[in-house]
Structures are given as C-alpha cells and as structure tokens.
Amino acid sequence: MIKILKFGEVKNEDIFARVEPTVNVEDVVKDIIENVKARGDAALFEYNEKFDKAHLEKLQVSPEEIEEALAQVEPEFVEILKKAAANIRKFHEKQKRNSFIINDEKGIVIGQKVIPVDKAGLYVPGGTAAYPSTVLMDTIPAKIAGCPEVVMVTPPNADGKINPYILAAASVAGMDKIFKVGGAQAIAALAYGTESIPKVDKIVGPGNAFVAEAKKQVYGNVSIDMIAGPSEILIIADGKSNAKYVAADLLSQAEHDKLASAVLVTDSAELAVEVQKELEEQIPKLERAEIARASIDNNGKIIVADDLEKVIDIANEIAPEHLELCVDNPFDYLDSIRNAGSVFLGRNCPEALGDYFAGPNHTLPTSGTARFSSPLSVDDFVKKMQYTYYTKDALAKVAEDVATFAKKEGLTAHAKSAVIRTEEEQ
C-alpha cells in the first residue's frame, strides 16, 4: 500500500528520498563496447543471437520489411500515428533557432550559424517494451533541425523481425535507416560505427540500465541526450480533485517499471486517504498489476502539506519528470513551478496525453535533473558555430586593447599577434 507522509512530521530524507537502480553493469558494458569497436558487425550478430535469440543474415531493415509491417498495422492506428506526428511537428517547429549576423560597426562582422548535426542515432527499446511513441518524439525534432541522416537501432524478436508498430511509426516519422540491434551493443555501434551501421554525432532515446550505462561510457566520442532513470510522475492535487482520476494517473507511470516513482502531493488529508483506497481498487485490474504494485508499494508516496504554497515548494524540490497540476485555474500557479520536465495543467490533462499525442516531447529529464536540464527538443540536434571578421582598420582601433588584455593574463604571444599588423604599417 502506498505510504502517506505528513510534511513536517517525518524526516525530509523520507519526503525527498529517491529510489535508484542498484544494478552494477559498468564492466559488462565496457566489454561489450570494446568488442563492438574491435569486431564490428560480427560482434553485433553474435549479441543478437545471445540476447535476442535472433539469427540474422543482415542488420538493416529492408523497404520490403517496412511495407510488410505497414500491412500488419491497423489502418486506424496509422492514422492516429499521423495525427500525433502532426501535433509533435507543430510544437517542435516553434523551437527552430535562426542564425544571426551583427554588422553595425564599420569593418566588423560577427555572427552565429545554427547547423544540424550530420547524423543522429535513435535508440528504441523492443520486446515487451515497444514504444512507437518514442520513434515519433525523437525522430521528428531531428528532422525539423535538418539532420541529413537519422538512423534507428532497435532489438529484433527471436524471429528476426521488428515490432510492426515501431516500423509503422518510423515510416510516418521519415526515418532514413533502421537496424536490428539493441542493448549496449547498439549504442556502441552508433558511437563508433560498424560495416553496416554509420557512426553518428548524437545518440538519443531511452533504454534499460545497460543502454544508459553505454550512453554514459561513449559520451565524449558522441553527444547524448541524457541518462534517463526510472519514470516519474508527481501530481499536485487539492481537495476538489477526483480520487479515481488521481489514482489512475499515478498508475499510468507506476506500470512502466518496478522502479518507477509515483508521488501525490496534496493539501487535503481526506484526498490522500481516498487516493490510497482507490489505488487498492485499481491495481488488481491492471494488465501490468505486478509491476504497478511493486512501484506503488516500494517507491510511491503521498505527501500531505498544510497549503498549496508548501505543496508547490515540495514539488520544486523533487523536480519530477512529469508534473500534473490538478487544481482550478492552473495557469495561476504555472509561474511558481520551476523544476519539472513537463507540466500538465488542470483536471482534464492526464500525463498520457503528453506520452502520445499532444505535441510536447515525452523524452524528459528524470532523477531530479529537471533542476538544470530540459526535455528533448530541436536544440538537441543542432550545434552553433560563431564567426568573426575585422578589416585592417577595424583591427587597428582595438589592437592595443586586445594586447593589454592578453598581457594581464601573461600571454605575450597573444598580445603580439594582435599588434604585429599595426607595427608593420608603422
């Protein structure tokens, strides 16, 4: 049963405690990465047989396989994918950054160019955790950024096939290439390249502990989006809230993973008890009841505070991945929310809207990192390059200033490089 904690009556470490994975996979992942770097495709074929029981002759998904998958997917679901993609595209189009140029002083031009990364790699989990929504959420921003090539890796089933819903989403999103490989070995392939899989500049997408550790280890050779932890939801709800709705929304994240975190923070002790009872009613009815039960019992909590102001302070301290603000006039409180990955406003906005359909991205910072990081966006797939141009006359006006600055740092060669051109004129 979910715990009910009264803020101020229990230790802060109980209020703000986080459940962290305890699996140590560092050495295993390191060996996998080194093997893929050394042996390329041969290592990937072996790992596919070892981990996914799939004997493959080639890694890349063919156009015929994509057509076959589309034929298996219900036409109405393809239409839903297209509607979701349109919403995601509309939201992310607003994130595009423009290059700029400043030339308001004679002889001086400075500016910044916004350039897409050449190749982006998307990891999509497979097997029982098949998420076509992730394909849309991670591919569309890369395409909007203008990435020339976006490639996807995802583990095959034992029959060597990819989940048809994932392939349908990839088709709708405009994926360039798809490869049948998962786990840490897929991250290594994207980071270093193999005979079949191109080396990319940026790797994005969620995965298990092995995938997360691999992303951590290859960072620096490539860029990554984030190290994602277990899924989280925090619901701010007042006494007017419907306990059934609140419980259902808590369970929408609890069913993800036994380590997922579902938290309610409220100013109503009555609502706390009602939600606790409602969770006990709803959990046994879920298809993933065992997972949800473990998540709620071990990582779930209901925190009761004196007023909404303190409730919001607690939420900001936790800095959750998903935050639901279940109150009247939620926009009145939005400016007070400082730390959250994605905020869902009002009593009719379940977090599932964001997972699939509304348009804002569902790849979000977890484990309190919303204090300093952001959801996946078009920004993740671009880099900025700046440039400077001075004429001889423009340089002459500031050369002594530059030289003086350089000398204060003890860098006399810097100073000389700034004044040598004016000395030659003299």
Side-chain angles (χ1 to χ4, degrees):
M1 183 176 290
I2 197 168
K3 304 178 287 290
I4 297 179
L5 308 174
K6 182 68 170 71
F7 186 79
E9 295 180 5
V10 297
K11 296 178 180 178
N12 273 7
E13 48 261 43
D14 294 329
I15 296 290
F16 299 115
R18 292 186 180 277
V19 176
E20 302 293 346
T22 57
V23 180
N24 186 351
V25 299
E26 183 177 349
D27 291 339
V28 173
V29 169
K30 183 179 179 181
D31 290 343
I32 290 173
I33 291 173
E34 291 302 321
N35 191 18
V36 173
K37 285 173 66 176
R39 301 177 58 238
D41 283 356
L44 299 181
F45 284 121
E46 289 178 7
Y47 286 128
N48 274 339
E49 291 206 31
K50 179 178 180 180
F51 296 125
D52 299 305
K53 313 304 179 189
H55 178 74
L56 302 177
E57 294 183 357
K58 61 178 182 177
L59 295 171
Q60 186 167 356
V61 174
S62 68
E64 291 76 20
E65 288 177 287
I66 296 174
E67 289 301 318
E68 179 185 345
L70 285 170
Q72 296 175 35
V73 174
E74 303 88 342
E76 56 269 27
F77 185 68
V78 175
E79 289 305 309
I80 291 171
L81 285 172
K82 291 178 179 178
K83 290 179 185 177
N87 291 340
I88 295 165
R89 197 169 287 113
K90 179 170 66 175
F91 179 84
H92 289 81
E93 284 279 358
K94 294 291 186 181
Q95 297 176 337
K96 291 174 69 173
R97 292 179 180 267
N98 295 320
S99 300
F100 65 80
I101 185 170
I102 302 172
N103 59 353
D104 53 2
E105 293 186 54
K106 186 177 179 180
I108 300 174
V109 181
I110 56 177
Q112 177 176 278
K113 289 183 66 178
V114 179
I115 307 167
V117 299
D118 289 334
K119 288 184 173 68
L122 166 59
Y123 185 89
V124 177
T128 58
Y131 299 132
S133 56
T134 294
V135 180
L136 300 181
M137 292 288 181
D138 292 2
T139 308
I140 291 172
K143 288 290 183 177
I144 290 172
C147 293
E149 188 171 40
V150 183
V151 303
M152 183 176 90
V153 290
T154 189
N157 299 322
D159 60 2
K161 302 286 188 180
I162 299 298
N163 182 293
Y165 295 100
I166 286 178
L167 291 184
S171 177
V172 168
M175 185 68 64
D176 295 306
K177 295 178 181 178
I178 306 167
F179 297 94
K180 301 176 183 179
V181 59
Q185 59 272 24
I187 301 300
L190 290 174
Y192 299 101
T194 71
E195 297 90 335
S196 298
I197 300 177
K199 174 180 169 19
V200 303
D201 304 301
K202 180 97 181 211
I203 300 174
V204 304
N208 61 19
F210 292 90
V211 170
E213 177 62 29
K215 287 170 72 175
K216 187 186 300 184
Q217 290 191 25
V218 301
Y219 176 69
N221 186 69
V222 294
S223 179
I224 62 172
D225 52 351
M226 61 188 77
I227 304 297
S231 190
E232 306 164 351
I233 186 169
L234 184 147
I235 300 176
I236 291 174
D238 61 17
K240 298 179 185 178
S241 299
N242 186 313
K244 290 184 178 181
Y245 299 169
V246 173
D249 291 358
L250 289 170
L251 291 173
S252 72
Q253 293 306 295
E255 73 170 351
H256 264 297
D257 189 317
K258 291 181 179 181
L259 290 175
S261 171
V263 177
L264 166 63
V265 192
T266 180
D267 61 350
S268 169
E270 292 77 12
L271 179 70
V273 173
E274 289 174 12
V275 170
Q276 186 183 55
K277 291 178 180 176
E278 190 60 39
L279 286 168
E280 296 306 302
E281 288 285 329
Q282 293 188 26
I283 289 174
K285 300 173 184 177
L286 298 175
E287 289 187 10
R288 297 167 67 91
E290 181 185 359
I291 293 172
R293 167 59 66 193
S295 170
I296 290 296
D297 288 354
N298 298 327
N299 312 326
K301 65 184 80 167
I302 299 174
I303 303 167
V304 181
D306 291 335
D307 51 54
L308 274 180
E309 183 178 351
K310 177 53 68 176
V311 164
I312 291 173
D313 286 344
I314 293 168
N316 280 323
E317 180 71 21
I318 293 174
E321 178 187 15
H322 307 95
L323 188 151
E324 289 188 13
L325 192 51
C326 298
V327 296
D328 292 332
N329 305 313
F331 286 97
D332 292 347
Y333 300 92
L334 182 57
D335 286 346
S336 298
I337 303 296
R338 302 187 311 279
N339 302 328
S342 195
V343 182
F344 301 84
L345 299 168
R347 305 188 192 279
N348 301 296
C349 194
E351 180 276 327
L353 267 175
D355 270 351
Y356 303 113
F357 202 78
N361 210 282
H362 81 191
T363 301
L364 304 168
T366 61
S367 306
T369 59
R371 291 181 294 108
F372 50 79
S373 56
S374 307
L376 189 78
S377 72
V378 173
D379 285 346
D380 282 284
F381 299 98
V382 299
K383 56 187 178 180
K384 292 91 173 177
M385 182 177 73
Q386 57 194 31
Y387 56 89
T388 304
Y389 169 80
Y390 272 59
T391 64
K392 183 180 286 286
D393 289 344
L395 174 62
K397 291 179 180 179
V398 300
E400 288 298 334
D401 291 342
V402 174
T404 299
F405 211 138
K407 290 174 183 176
K408 293 299 182 185
E409 295 189 348
L411 300 175
T412 55
H414 278 64
K416 185 67 173 179
S417 72
V419 299
I420 193 169
R421 292 166 176 79
T422 58
E423 291 173 346
E424 288 178 352
E425 290 298 316
Q426 296 170 3

